[in-house]
Amino acid sequence: LLYNSGGGIGDAIQMLPLLNTLKNELKNTKFYYLSAHENHFNLSLKDLNCHIDTLNLDIKYFGFRWWHLLILKERIRKYNIEKIKTIGDSYFAVGGLHTDESEGALNIVELAKEMINAIQYINKNTAEMELHIRIGVHTGPAVAGVIGKNKFAYDLWGATINMANRLETTCPSGGGIHISEATKVILKDKYKYQLCTNTEIKGIGKVNTYLIV
């Protein structure tokens, strides 16, 4: 499955070398292309004689755009969340920069729940694939600042950020919202929790963590 969030003619041309390689290495493989502009891509591929099946763009295009536009933009504003950056397939965002830690933790979890709902919506309307999302949430102090010499970027770092990252990577298979003991203490009885005993956290050891159910 090749996913192109833009899908313009320039993006299609850039993907031609990749498809040439795939065609030679995986001769009997069926390729799926998901984008906003299927005609641009398909017209550019005619000379390749490459077998391409386009997925149902009415569903896939809406699903992914719904994710980007409604969840990761509108909802971030709704919950007063600050997007920091994307790292590979990860989305780094923080709450509580402009509020107290209690409100920040609650807002992050509410955003996380909406992300889960978005993934479930996509899966419900997509027969060809099933997506999962892992979300790690930790609460604590962090250092914020602008880094770089020529190209500047706002960033956060510290033990709190590292712990949130570890919670994401140790989230059980199938995905979910994986939180620390510190976050659970702040959230109190606002949610139902599933205890994960002796979760191995790199650099820390075995600790109790929780899945929000």
Side-chain angles (χ1 to χ4, degrees):
L1 172 65
L2 304 172
Y3 171 57
N4 181 1
S5 62
I9 186 67
D11 301 303
I13 292 173
Q14 290 179 27
M15 295 184 84
L16 295 184
L18 170 62
L19 282 166
N20 261 323
T21 300
L22 291 174
K23 184 187 69 172
N24 293 329
E25 296 294 329
L26 308 171
K27 299 183 184 300
N28 298 320
T29 299
K30 182 181 291 186
F31 298 100
Y32 293 97
Y33 177 71
L34 171 59
S35 178
H37 308 288
E38 61 171 306
N39 288 337
H40 286 169
F41 191 81
N42 287 338
L43 290 175
S44 301
L45 288 175
K46 283 186 175 180
D47 293 336
L48 280 180
N49 193 28
C50 189
H51 182 59
I52 297 289
D53 283 353
T54 303
L55 296 177
N56 187 334
L57 291 178
D58 288 340
I59 294 177
K60 306 306 182 302
Y61 171 61
F62 175 77
F64 280 98
R65 287 303 186 187
W66 186 81
W67 166 272
H68 287 302
L69 297 180
L70 297 186
I71 293 300
L72 294 185
K73 289 185 179 179
E74 179 182 310
R75 294 302 190 269
I76 277 182
R77 290 192 295 268
K78 172 184 175 181
Y79 293 113
N80 202 20
I81 302 299
E82 189 78 26
K83 173 196 171 184
I84 305 302
K85 59 184 174 181
T86 54
I87 311 168
D89 63 351
S90 297
Y91 194 91
F92 177 18
V94 298
L97 291 181
H98 312 293
T99 60
D100 59 35
E101 63 178 13
S102 178
E103 183 178 347
L106 180 62
N107 286 344
I108 280 286
V109 171
E110 286 299 307
L111 176 64
K113 289 176 65 179
E114 296 214 27
M115 288 181 170
I116 296 289
N117 290 338
I119 289 294
Q120 291 174 347
Y121 174 86
I122 293 172
N123 288 338
K124 183 180 179 181
N125 291 278
T126 306
E128 290 83 2
M129 59 184 175
E130 183 174 355
L131 302 176
H132 300 281
I133 183 172
R134 302 191 307 260
I135 301 172
V137 181
H138 181 53
T139 309
V143 178
V146 177
I147 58 175
K149 289 185 177 181
N150 300 315
K151 186 176 181 181
F152 301 105
Y154 178 69
D155 207 349
L156 275 82
W157 56 93
T160 298
I161 308 302
N162 292 338
M163 181 63 175
N165 179 55
R166 300 289 184 258
L167 288 166
E168 182 268 323
T169 56
T170 57
C171 190
S173 61
I177 306 172
H178 195 197
I179 69 172
S180 64
E181 182 84 45
T183 300
K184 178 181 178 294
V185 168
I186 292 172
L187 295 174
K188 299 179 181 178
D189 59 352
K190 291 183 173 65
Y191 304 97
K192 293 182 179 180
Y193 308 96
Q194 175 185 328
L195 174 63
C196 302
T197 58
N198 297 323
T199 302
E200 185 69 37
I201 301 295
K202 182 179 178 180
I204 296 178
K206 294 182 178 180
V207 297
N208 287 340
T209 58
Y210 302 85
L211 287 172
I212 292 181
V213 297

